[in-house]
Amino acid sequence: MKPAPFQYHAPRSLQEAVAILAQVAPADGRVLAGGQSLVPIMAFRLARPSHLVDINGIEALARLAVENGKLCIGACVRHAAFERPVVEGPLGRLLAMVVRHIAHSPIRARGTFCGSIAHADPASEWCALVAALDGEIVATSVRGARVIAAGQFFAGIMATALAEDEVLTEVRLPLLAPDTRCGFYEFNRRAGDFALAMAVVHFRLVEGRMFKPRVAIGGAETHPRRVAAAEAALAANAPSPRVFADAAARAARDVEPLEDAQTNAQYRRELVVAVTRRALEAAL
Amino acid sequence: MTQRAAIVLNLNGVDHAISVEPRRTLADAIRDDCGLTGTHIGCEHGVCGACTIIVAGEAVRSCLMFAVQADGKRIRTVEGLADGEQLHPLQEAFIAHHALQCGFCTPGFLMLSLHALERDPDLGDEELLDLLASNLCRCTGYQNIVKAVRGAAAVMRAGVVR
Amino acid sequence: MSAGVAVPTGWVGRSLRRIEDPALVRGSGRFTSDLPAALWVRFVRSPVAAGKILRIVAPPGARMVTAADLAAVGPIRPMLHKFNYVPIEQRVLAADVVRFVGEPLAAILAPSREEAEDLAERVHVEIDATSAIVDAYAAIAAGAPLVHAQARGNIIVDARVATPGFAAASAAARHRVRLRIRSRRQNALPLEPRAAHAAWDPVERRIILHCSTQMPHLMRTIIAQLIGMAESGLRVIAPDVGGGFGQKMSLAAEYVVVAWLARSLRTSVAWTEDRRENLIASFHARDQHIDLEGMFDDAARLVALRADVLANVGAYACYPTTGAVEALMAMAEMPGPYDVRDYSCTARGVLTHTCPMAPYRGVSRPVITFAIERLMDKAAAAFGIDAPTIRRRNLVRAFPYTTATGLVFDEASYVETMDAAVLAADLPAFRARQAAARLQGRYLGIGMSTFCERTGYGTPAFAARGMDVTPGWETVVLGIDPSGCVEARIGSSPHGQGLRTALSQIIADELGVSPERVTVVHGDTDRTPYGWGTFASRSLVIAGGAALMAARKVRAKLIGMAADLLEAAPEDIVLGDGVARVSGTDRAMAIDALARAAYHQTHRFKGTFAPGLAESATYDPPGTFSNACHIALVEVDIETGRVGIEKFLVAEDAGRLINPMIVDGQIHGGVAQGIANALYEEVIYDAGGDILTATLADYLPPTAREIPPIALHHRETLTEASLTKAKGVGEGGTIGAPAALINAVNDALAPFGVSIDEIPATPQRIRDALRAAAAAKA
């Protein structure tokens, strides 16, 4: 289980990085950030990039800042950065709530938020969160930078809208209004494992009713996404066990569950009911 | 033609100048190129944690980093834990609480715990379980590892050593 | 006879810190893969489960060996002379035919592991795939393809036993309880994968093989035999071994190849198994189906038991225990700790195109204990009595007791241990809590298992299986050198059990020295007497007994010499604190000085004593039965199927505790593996024989989060069946845990009328059962 050989590049600037990537991408050159997903699949030789462009030395990409009402997360910001709220208010708390479920502490010390988004594992917690928050993904190449909406970004199992020569340089998450309620629940077999199903929810509570509810399901389908049917079941309703159960049932009906050796579709659908309802309950 | 890189790994304060292929993992470089075999390799895909070490102040899986990425960085491995004959409180506690049997996972658990306790010796019970769930042990059922790390935390809180 | 726990008067009984630990916590332990090698081996493995090998072509410039190069190396052919056993052969590299995904086909050599892997993946392998058989029932179905032509119906062993009175007792029984249980396949998963390092010693002109093994002496025997060389030309060293759990007691074909390569190439050659190889191609275990029927009288007493065991043994037989080991263990010990006079059992081992089965901690007994304990709970429900009550009515109480299969249970405490566990669990309080929780839609459950396990058994037990290789005894050579240091050289081969520490305590008490003066040497065929190794909960009992015998001989000689030199009667000599003393006087002599005299001043004994202070002893005991009761408290999340373990409790009687700390550690680790068996770990094949659990993201050993606090209670029944009065304790934790947990899960789910009889009881299986039960009701 040793990776196949590759050429290593350690650019010091983004400009240098995208220039190298433009050259090596056609020969399966890839970006190396935290490496916590890429290196294992290289060890199994399921990925065998001929070049790795290591962006860890690019200081500008370690940026974590609030700009124009958005939290801007640079490509080299590690998972561990979110263990304590990075911004005041619900968003910082939600990030801190979710990050505890991502693998284990040594993985969080190294793995990056943006790397998770670029890798797009169906069961990535950050991907579900970005979907729930309608985050924006900034992709940079020698051709310039473009912003991709979360709804357009995830394309399938480990498939995204990123072009092969693009570096995912930043993810932007909208700050949440102070009265936003957030919830997260995931089901996995062991602590730290990828979830079989998860839900990220948030809504504002205005005069006792749910306003702008968002329900994103992860782990259950090829990629995480918001489930409109579930959101509709919540909108303008007061939170109640019945309303939550209805939204959860709708979410479960709406998903097309992935199946694998240990998880059949019916079971996964049942899990979607459970995680959705529990995430909603947690949000209260 | 295979690319090789000349790098320096600073292991427990000692520089090791080595030449490696970029694909060489940090774990392999420490063991094979630098000859420090206390860091063990149990899965090579980041799950078991036997290879956990401290790089630039962070506990990481050394099987999931390439040696070239650690060039010039300060690295701590299990060999640097004791001060000569004087064992570190964590090592003492692992012996006193029978927190090891075959000893293969032990260096990883020691370095994982060392990093966490140096950062926060007041780690709560739940946080401690979350932390220790990072690594696998096949012998102890974790019972005595939990006790040992708790015991060492008390000693480290008291500031007896370092 | 039996009581709580004795207060120690000497070193035995104390939780001494382990001698083994300082090196290991410093990272200065030495494991096989720590050794540098000139050449590294990468095995090219079969990508298909069944097929004919057409071609294996190495990339240009690569050094590769295949079966053709190893024509002179004999096949592995484990043999059993009973129970219709069909011997089958395994070439160390597959020749002509492949029989499981991962089977080694060729070995590639290169100066580094990376290069070897690069070359290995460029080897061109052409195999004409044939249809594969994965499931045991499919394998015995008419017309199934044969894994080995000589094993008709794919049956490698077909054992049957029935007591003369079985038919009558069964026919007369008024109550019958029947169940089918399924145990899915598991991997022992030592954290250190297997590894071998063979080096040619140009001076002595022989091979030194370091390998991660539980049986260094037998490895030397079989590897030399297969290669066709003198055993003296091979030295086997088991250095620090990073866990075995049975997986490393069986011969790895890869080790033979590595030794052969070093001998052929006159260099050092190494192989370290990677985790993927370990998951797909080391050894698996526990893949069984059991059909069990209990016949009870009106008082809920088990009068007859019928069992049908089908064990999937994979594609080849393991050496030395053969492909019969699980089936025969199941047959011999199915009735468990219960007094049942009539018994009938069919136990078959079935070949399939899957990774070979080998012993894994507990060997069958986690599965059969699960079966009989589910039966007891089902019977209790049928009779309307509780779990402890039905067990109390059936547990063996008088010892020695000869079972229906002829095993002899030595003194033990089946009822007392169970009662202690039940008391500690506080059943009434739990039932109240359970009832309250159910009102809130939460489902708590309690489950128990009672069992006994044969431990520390010698040759008669293995001979009863008809094994060609019949393990059992252990030899200890114990000497005091002229400086007064004690050295015990043992044939057994511990690998994490702390045996060096425990033996030093036994020896120190006997010789009147401190344990620090005692060195225990193991794991090196050059330095230790022939012996079997560490497996089957035996080393402390058997090597401990042999150490005690050898120490007594040395003690007798020391006393005799002291009596001579101190001019006293031998019965007046007392050994202690490193000194031989004449009781009631101030006349004394340091043991160091006696040792010196034994070598350098032999003239002083005027021929009464032979020179030196070394003695040897061999112990071959009948075996002794440990017993325990496990109780699990769980909560089942009925919506997701997740089982949370609130508490796990073990009451154990392992006889005298030599080092209680070590005993507790063995139970903790065993229970953790039992929990893994019950709830988490499962090797999964697809229908074509491809393995789907080849990473630790798919095969799920539990972490510190999944293993709850384990509370332990001890009793010490002092048995005559063990010289040290210690019983074996290595496997018990694993044996009892699955049954207790699954009984607890079923107790929690009692309101739903489901019966979970399959392990691991994954969340999905629990949900499937609940859903099916709901559908049946609707």
Side-chain angles (χ1 to χ4, degrees):
Chain A
M1 281 178 56
K2 308 296 178 190
F6 57 83
Q7 301 274 313
Y8 176 74
H9 308 270
R12 308 303 296 185
S13 71
L14 179 58
Q15 202 180 6
E16 198 189 335
V18 294
I20 297 168
L21 190 59
Q23 280 182 4
V24 302
D28 195 24
R30 294 183 62 170
V31 173
L32 174 65
Q36 305 299 286
S37 301
L38 179 59
V39 179
I41 59 176
M42 288 174 67
F44 285 109
R45 299 202 176 194
L46 296 171
R48 38 193 325 143
S50 55
H51 294 259
L52 282 187
V53 183
D54 184 348
I55 59 172
N56 285 287
I58 304 173
E59 266 174 45
L61 294 181
R63 197 176 78 112
L64 181 63
V66 175
E67 266 179 24
N68 305 324
K70 287 174 182 160
L71 178 66
C72 302
I73 303 165
C76 291
V77 176
R78 316 280 171 189
H79 302 311
F82 301 95
E83 287 173 0
R84 295 206 167 79
V86 292
V87 282
E88 282 187 15
L91 179 62
R93 290 200 300 273
L94 175 63
L95 288 161
M97 187 195 314
V98 171
V99 73
R100 292 192 302 113
H101 298 271
I102 298 175
H104 297 288
S105 119
I107 302 288
R108 295 197 291 268
R110 199 69 207 146
T112 63
F113 184 102
C114 290
S116 288
I117 307 305
H119 186 64
D121 190 291
S124 153
E125 288 86 355
W126 287 146
C127 291
L129 177 130
V130 168
L133 293 173
D134 293 320
E136 295 170 349
I137 290 104
V138 181
T140 308
S141 68
V142 287
R143 295 167 285 128
R146 64 182 178 127
V147 177
I148 309 166
Q152 269 80 59
F153 184 77
F154 300 110
I157 298 175
M158 296 179 193
T160 69
L162 275 184
E164 62 178 15
D165 67 339
E166 284 179 320
V167 179
L168 196 167
T169 44
E170 189 169 278
V171 171
R172 297 173 187 157
L173 303 175
L175 297 183
L176 297 170
D179 60 0
T180 307
R181 308 295 180 100
C182 302
F184 175 79
Y185 192 90
E186 72 172 22
F187 181 84
N188 49 16
R189 294 280 307 278
R190 288 179 310 183
D193 281 352
F194 274 124
L196 302 182
M198 74 180 81
V200 184
V201 303
H202 63 95
F203 50 81
R204 292 178 65 186
L205 211 49
V206 180
E207 291 169 356
R209 292 176 184 278
M210 289 178 279
F211 178 62
K212 283 200 172 177
R214 296 287 179 268
V215 176
I217 302 296
E221 299 181 291
T222 56
H223 57 87
R225 65 177 172 99
R226 281 175 50 195
V227 181
E231 293 174 356
L234 301 171
N237 278 316
S240 74
R242 190 190 55 74
V243 168
F244 285 175
D246 181 38
R250 285 167 188 248
R253 272 200 297 279
D254 202 63
V255 297
E256 289 177 36
L258 285 173
E259 292 199 79
D260 60 49
Q262 315 205 30
T263 318
N264 62 44
Q266 195 164 15
Y267 177 55
R268 202 160 233 143
R269 218 183 274 285
E270 291 173 346
L271 288 179
V272 171
V273 176
V275 299
T276 307
R277 210 198 63 240
R278 292 175 187 193
L280 287 165
E281 286 166 356
L284 269 187
Chain B
M1 188 208 73
T2 321
Q3 183 191 11
R4 290 189 82 86
I7 60 168
V8 175
L9 297 185
N10 182 281
L11 297 172
N12 308 314
V14 178
D15 280 346
H16 295 252
I18 57 173
S19 163
V20 294
E21 282 187 83
R23 62 161 152 175
R24 177 143 282 217
T25 64
L26 181 54
D28 280 338
I30 289 170
R31 290 173 49 79
D32 297 349
D33 299 289
C34 306
L36 270 65
T37 55
T39 299
H40 294 155
I41 295 179
C43 77
E44 296 180 283
H45 57 293
V47 181
C48 81
C51 68
T52 305
I53 59 171
I54 299 174
V55 177
E58 296 291 346
V60 299
R61 310 285 210 222
S62 60
C63 73
L64 296 189
M65 261 184 94
F66 297 110
V68 288
Q69 297 185 285
D71 185 15
K73 297 211 161 79
R74 285 178 53 84
I75 300 168
R76 297 167 71 191
T77 68
V78 69
E79 288 92 342
L81 197 46
D83 182 6
E85 286 302 299
Q86 180 69 46
L87 293 178
H88 187 275
L90 266 165
Q91 292 171 311
E92 283 285 350
F94 268 57
I95 294 174
H97 292 274
H98 188 31
L100 64 150
Q101 290 181 28
C102 80
F104 195 79
C105 72
T106 309
F109 271 104
L110 286 170
M111 300 314 284
L112 176 78
S113 310
L114 176 70
H115 171 260
L117 294 185
E118 282 183 347
R119 186 166 284 190
D120 179 13
D122 294 313
L123 219 54
D125 284 354
E126 288 301 309
E127 292 163 299
L128 183 62
L129 276 184
D130 277 340
L131 175 81
L132 296 177
S134 303
N135 288 11
L136 296 177
C137 169
R138 201 60 170 163
C139 296
T140 64
Y142 307 103
Q143 307 288 307
N144 292 341
I145 295 177
V146 175
K147 287 177 202 155
V149 178
R150 258 189 219 135
V155 174
M156 288 168 75
R157 271 198 299 275
V160 174
V161 173
R162 292 183 211 173
Chain C
M1 204 64 194
S2 72
V5 176
V7 179
T9 53
W11 295 106
V12 165
R14 294 184 193 277
S15 289
L16 230 58
R17 290 183 175 206
R18 300 198 322 167
I19 295 164
E20 290 85 348
D21 290 350
L24 293 170
V25 299
R26 286 173 177 273
S28 49
R30 186 206 256 181
F31 294 85
T32 300
S33 59
D34 296 345
L35 301 171
L39 291 172
W40 288 88
V41 174
R42 178 77 184 174
F43 288 96
V44 179
R45 294 177 183 276
S46 177
V48 300
K52 273 188 75 70
I53 300 170
L54 302 178
R55 287 199 312 155
I56 303 173
V57 183
R63 298 169 81 175
M64 180 176 86
V65 297
T66 64
D69 303 293
L70 294 165
V73 175
I76 302 170
R77 188 177 181 275
M79 187 57 191
L80 195 84
H81 299 284
K82 278 187 176 176
F83 305 115
N84 305 303
Y85 188 79
V86 182
I88 54 166
E89 293 185 350
Q90 177 185 10
R91 298 288 304 271
V92 294
L93 292 174
D96 308 326
V97 173
V98 294
R99 294 188 174 88
F100 70 97
V101 167
E103 181 171 2
L105 303 175
I108 287 279
L109 288 148
S112 75
R113 281 168 291 189
E114 286 92 337
E115 290 165 85
E117 192 166 340
D118 292 347
L119 291 166
E121 66 175 356
R122 287 167 53 211
V123 171
H124 176 72
V125 175
E126 260 180 62
I127 296 175
D128 184 10
T130 53
S131 64
I133 283 288
V134 175
D135 177 72
Y137 276 117
I140 57 171
L146 294 182
V147 180
H148 292 267
Q150 66 271 43
R152 282 183 298 163
N154 288 315
I155 292 174
I156 187 172
V157 64
D158 187 348
R160 284 155 201 273
V161 64
T163 53
F166 175 77
S170 174
R174 299 183 20 119
H175 308 275
R176 291 167 186 278
V177 179
R178 187 169 173 185
L179 84 159
R180 299 174 78 101
I181 68 107
R182 173 80 170 106
S183 166
R184 296 281 169 178
R185 180 177 282 244
Q186 286 163 341
N187 187 315
L189 206 82
L191 207 61
E192 178 209 27
R194 299 179 301 166
H197 177 285
W200 172 251
D201 180 338
V203 178
E204 296 194 11
R205 301 191 60 76
R206 62 179 192 154
I207 296 295
I208 300 171
L209 173 67
H210 284 79
C211 59
S212 193
T213 180
Q214 300 171 227
M215 301 182 96
H217 287 279
L218 192 65
M219 290 306 120
R220 181 173 76 146
T221 298
I222 185 63
I223 291 170
Q225 179 188 318
L226 293 178
I227 292 177
M229 59 186 285
E231 282 196 44
S232 57
L234 179 63
R235 175 182 181 185
V236 173
I237 297 173
D240 284 318
V241 171
F245 314 110
Q247 189 174 90
K248 292 174 182 169
M249 72 175 283
S250 296
L251 173 65
E254 291 89 342
Y255 291 9
V256 184
V257 176
V258 169
W260 183 87
L261 283 167
R263 188 165 179 262
S264 307
L265 301 173
R266 299 282 195 261
T267 185
S268 58
V269 177
W271 171 67
T272 299
E273 182 179 58
D274 67 36
R275 186 52 67 189
R276 183 172 183 277
E277 290 176 296
N278 181 262
L279 284 165
I280 70 172
S282 55
F283 291 103
H284 294 163
R286 312 233 203 287
D287 187 345
Q288 288 188 28
H289 300 264
I290 296 176
D291 185 345
L292 195 63
E293 188 176 23
M295 276 61 81
F296 292 85
D297 67 13
D298 289 340
R301 280 190 297 257
L302 186 61
V303 292
L305 182 70
R306 183 190 60 75
D308 185 8
V309 177
L310 206 57
N312 184 338
V313 312
Y316 295 101
C318 57
Y319 177 95
T321 52
T322 82
V325 62
E326 283 201 358
L328 294 185
M329 181 72 90
M331 185 172 81
E333 301 201 15
M334 186 72 77
Y338 302 113
D339 177 15
V340 52
R341 297 318 313 163
D342 282 301
Y343 173 56
S344 164
C345 180
T346 305
R348 288 172 292 175
V350 179
L351 293 157
T352 59
H353 291 112
T354 58
C355 177
M357 173 278 300
Y360 167 29
R361 197 176 200 168
V363 190
S364 259
R365 288 163 297 180
V367 184
I368 62 175
T369 302
F370 170 44
I372 188 106
E373 292 302 288
R374 283 296 299 135
L375 184 83
M376 281 294 164
D377 268 21
K378 281 186 174 248
F383 281 102
I385 56 181
D386 72 5
T389 302
I390 193 162
R391 287 169 176 82
R392 213 169 276 126
R393 289 187 195 171
N394 285 285
L395 285 169
V396 170
R397 289 163 182 270
F399 304 96
Y401 172 90
T402 303
T403 72
T405 54
L407 306 179
V408 179
F409 292 171
D410 57 321
E411 301 92 303
S413 60
Y414 301 170
V415 175
E416 298 83 348
T417 295
M418 183 187 75
D419 285 344
V422 171
L423 192 67
D426 196 351
L427 214 49
F430 176 80
R431 289 295 178 206
R433 209 151 56 81
Q434 179 184 44
R438 276 184 190 167
L439 295 176
Q440 301 169 348
R442 290 176 52 208
Y443 294 88
L444 310 185
I446 192 165
M448 67 187 305
S449 66
T450 53
F451 65 96
C452 64
E453 49 157 339
R454 182 158 54 165
T455 69
Y457 42 103
T459 49
F462 287 100
R465 288 186 203 157
M467 284 169 66
D468 195 40
V469 178
T470 307
W473 45 270
E474 284 297 343
T475 298
V476 171
V477 177
L478 191 142
I480 304 183
D481 67 22
S483 73
C485 292
V486 182
E487 184 179 78
R489 291 179 283 121
I490 67 172
S492 189
S493 196
H495 44 280
Q497 296 84 358
L499 189 68
R500 280 162 57 196
T501 305
L503 294 187
S504 77
Q505 292 176 253
I506 293 171
I507 293 165
D509 271 353
E510 224 38 51
L511 299 182
V513 298
S514 103
E516 289 105 75
R517 294 289 275 179
V518 182
T519 305
V520 176
V521 179
H522 63 81
D524 183 343
T525 57
D526 263 16
R527 295 179 66 201
T528 61
Y530 203 97
W532 292 98
T534 292
F535 53 94
S537 302
R538 67 190 298 278
S539 278
L540 197 267
V541 177
I542 309 183
L548 183 64
M549 289 163 71
R552 282 177 178 166
K553 289 188 189 174
V554 173
R555 173 190 174 85
K557 190 163 178 182
L558 276 176
I559 288 176
M561 292 191 306
D564 228 25
L565 298 181
L566 295 168
E567 297 176 344
E571 51 273 24
D572 291 336
I573 301 291
V574 180
L575 301 183
D577 302 325
V579 173
R581 211 171 250 104
V582 183
S583 155
T585 74
D586 59 359
R587 279 181 292 150
M589 193 174 172
I591 290 173
D592 291 5
L594 275 172
R596 184 69 73 175
Y599 292 88
H600 296 176
Q601 295 165 348
T602 49
H603 61 281
R604 293 173 70 187
F605 302 113
K606 303 185 178 67
T608 316
F609 299 103
L613 261 178
E615 298 287 348
S616 167
T618 298
Y619 187 41
D620 186 8
T624 171
F625 283 76
S626 295
N627 65 275
C629 176
H630 289 200
I631 295 184
L633 276 61
V634 305
E635 176 166 0
V636 182
D637 176 350
I638 59 158
E639 208 177 357
T640 64
R642 177 200 292 284
V643 177
I645 309 172
E646 198 175 278
K647 195 172 164 186
F648 201 97
L649 190 155
V650 176
E652 171 90 33
D653 187 342
R656 173 171 286 157
L657 307 180
I658 305 296
N659 183 318
M661 174 189 85
I662 290 175
V663 171
D664 288 356
Q666 286 294 311
I667 298 171
H668 290 154
V671 167
Q673 280 179 326
I675 291 170
N677 285 190
L679 301 175
Y680 293 99
E681 294 178 17
E682 178 176 358
V683 175
I684 303 174
Y685 281 94
D686 70 13
D690 199 8
I691 188 161
L692 304 176
T693 45
T695 79
L696 289 179
D698 307 296
Y699 188 80
L700 307 178
T703 74
R705 264 284 173 215
E706 284 73 49
I707 305 299
I710 300 166
L712 304 182
H713 304 263
H714 292 287
R715 293 183 67 83
E716 287 186 305
T717 297
L718 301 184
T719 178
E720 294 303 316
S722 164
L723 267 183
T724 58
K725 316 268 185 226
K727 300 181 175 193
V729 77
E731 297 169 282
T734 312
I735 291 170
L741 280 161
I742 304 302
N743 277 339
V745 168
N746 280 295
D747 182 54
L749 298 180
F752 301 96
V754 301
S755 185
I756 306 288
D757 296 313
E758 180 171 6
I759 49 174
T762 60
Q764 174 169 293
R765 291 201 171 103
I766 289 171
R767 272 303 313 155
D768 286 350
L770 287 168
R771 196 187 312 119
K777 248 183 212 163

